[in-house]
């Protein structure tokens, strides 16, 4: 995410004033917005990652599908944190690819649209 933010800042003057904001399944842009949309994406991604990192510190506040007991507490917290870390990684990669793609070329790969 840091690299994506830096790339966006460095390339800001070259980014067109209007960028695609939505893509169809064929990879073609079908909605447009101002380049400030990239700032929104960047802030949203950082907020999600920071929020999830804070949330990871307090597994005792999470809801689990089973009753948490002394016997299963450690295992549940480890599994919950692992799920949270994988989700954070997915969010970071997806937002980074979107921000970098739109900062450098105003398009994103079709595979990313499908994912």
């Amino acid at each position: 995410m840091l690299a994506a933010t830096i790339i966006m800042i460095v390339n800001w003057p070259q980014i067109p004033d209007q960028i695609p904001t939505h893509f169809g399944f064929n990879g073609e842009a079908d909605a447009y917005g101002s380049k400030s949309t990239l700032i929104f994406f960047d802030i949203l991604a950082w907020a999600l990652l920071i929020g999830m990192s804070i949330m990871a510190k307090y597994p005792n506040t999470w809801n689990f599908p089973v009753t948490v007991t002394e016997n299963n507490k450690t295992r549940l917290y480890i599994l919950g944190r692992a799920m949270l870390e994988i989700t954070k990684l997915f969010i970071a990669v997806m937002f980074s690819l979107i921000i970098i793609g739109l900062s450098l070329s105003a398009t994103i790969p079709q595979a990313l649209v499908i994912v």
Side-chain angles (χ1 to χ4, degrees):
M1 277 304 306
L2 183 59
T5 301
I6 291 169
I7 288 170
M8 179 185 67
I9 292 168
V10 168
N11 290 293
W12 190 256
Q14 291 81 29
I15 298 172
D17 290 333
Q18 189 177 40
I19 61 166
T21 57
H22 189 269
F23 295 85
F25 282 113
N26 61 357
E28 296 291 321
D30 57 10
Y32 295 86
S34 71
K35 69 180 182 180
S36 62
T37 305
L38 285 175
I39 295 171
F40 170 75
F41 286 152
D42 196 53
I43 291 171
L44 177 62
W46 280 108
L48 287 169
L49 294 175
I50 291 169
M52 292 173 89
S53 295
I54 292 169
M55 190 170 68
K57 303 274 187 203
Y58 304 100
N60 58 316
T61 63
W62 304 348
N63 285 328
F64 287 94
V66 296
T67 303
V68 179
T69 65
E70 286 301 316
N71 292 336
N72 67 5
K73 178 171 76 172
T74 302
R75 185 172 55 89
L76 287 174
Y77 290 177
I78 289 170
L79 289 172
R81 275 200 192 111
M83 181 186 71
L84 198 58
E85 295 301 323
I86 290 168
T87 303
K88 282 174 46 181
L89 177 62
F90 183 76
I91 288 171
V93 169
M94 293 298 293
F95 273 99
S96 294
L97 290 174
I98 290 168
I99 292 167
I100 291 169
L102 293 176
S103 295
L104 297 178
S105 67
T107 62
I108 57 175
Q110 185 176 1
L112 182 59
V113 173
I114 294 169
V115 172

